[in-house]
């Protein structure tokens, strides 16, 4: 539990690159690591800023974001509440529009989709569709001298992410990771955890991890496991049980992926059976 400081001091964004600073939201947990990273983007000397993922609707956190403003526009990497729930209240505080792929998260006229280029606060942001963690997951490329990519939950600063079955799909996720891998030595500004020096290496490690898990899931099926929860207990035995419900979603996504690729393996369990 955090307490407001007696002097009423606000958290100040930590500068990560010349264009990007981060405010850590006070929502740590097994799924959110240290908390959600709220990114504040602006060119040196620009007055306004772009806010990516306001995080939870926590007063002190939203106040710190607003104090870093004026806020020109709020972007969401995806709709999960630990990224998006503060967007409505921040919109009320700042009048900044909220842009997201999922129409239910938008506030304002404009959507957000693959290929869009946003020019605001002196920065140029290109939108990459990177579905897989969820179907609405986007990444944001900061172009110019200070190239970086904001990856939301598609690549985290440490650990691995969940393929949130049934909305998230493993085949999409692998395609998105390959796309991020092609960015090479671009700084990763993730939705949780510390920044990473190179998208290429980070995506490579994620792809290797996914393949290893896929091999383990296949082995578990071959060994006779018939439910996602049995597979989790076998394959994720080394992982904190607090993460098992999330792991079960990833296992279901993996079973779906295997089913789609090997139709002749009709004996694979239905992913929606517990
Ligand atoms: Zn998420």
């Amino acid at each position: 539990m955090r307490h407001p400081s007696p002097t009423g001091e606000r958290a100040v964004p930590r500068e990560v690159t010349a264009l990007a600073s981060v405010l850590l939201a006070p929502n740590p947990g097994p799924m959110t690591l240290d908390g959600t990273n709220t990114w504040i983007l602006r060119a040196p000397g620009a007055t306004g800023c772009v806010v990516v993922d306001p995080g939870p609707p926590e007063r002190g956190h939203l106040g710190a974001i607003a104090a870093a403003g004026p806020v020109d526009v709020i972007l969401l990497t995806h709709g999960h509440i630990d990224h998006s729930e503060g967007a409505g209240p921040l919109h009320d505080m700042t009048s900044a529009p909220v842009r997201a792929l999922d129409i239910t998260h938008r506030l304002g006229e404009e959507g957000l989709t693959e290929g869009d280029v946003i020019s605001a606060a002196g920065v140029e942001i290109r939108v990459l569709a990177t579905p897989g963690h969820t179907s609405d997951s986007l990444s944001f490329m900061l172009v110019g001298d200070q190239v970086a990519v904001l990856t939301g939950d598609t690549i985290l600063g440490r650990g691995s992410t969940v393929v949130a079955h049934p909305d998230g799909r493993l085949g999409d996720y692998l395609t998105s990771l390959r796309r991020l891998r092609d960015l090479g030595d671009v700084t990763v500004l993730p939705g949780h955890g510390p920044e990473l020096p190179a998208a290429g290496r980070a995506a490579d490690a994620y792809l290797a991890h996914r393949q290893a898990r896929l091999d383990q899931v296949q082995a578990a099926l071959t060994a006779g496991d018939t439910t996602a929860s049995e597979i989790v207990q076998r394959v994720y035995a080394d992982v904190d049980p607090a993460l098992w419900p999330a792991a079960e979603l990833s296992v279901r996504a993996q079973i779906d992926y295997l089913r789609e690729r090997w139709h002749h393996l009709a004996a694979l369990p239905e992913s929606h059976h517990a």
Side-chain angles (χ1 to χ4, degrees), residues 78 80 82-83 133-134 137 153 161 192:
H78 64 301
H80 278 163
D82 57 318
H83 297 255
H133 168 66
T134 59
S137 286
D153 284 359
T161 198
H192 305 276

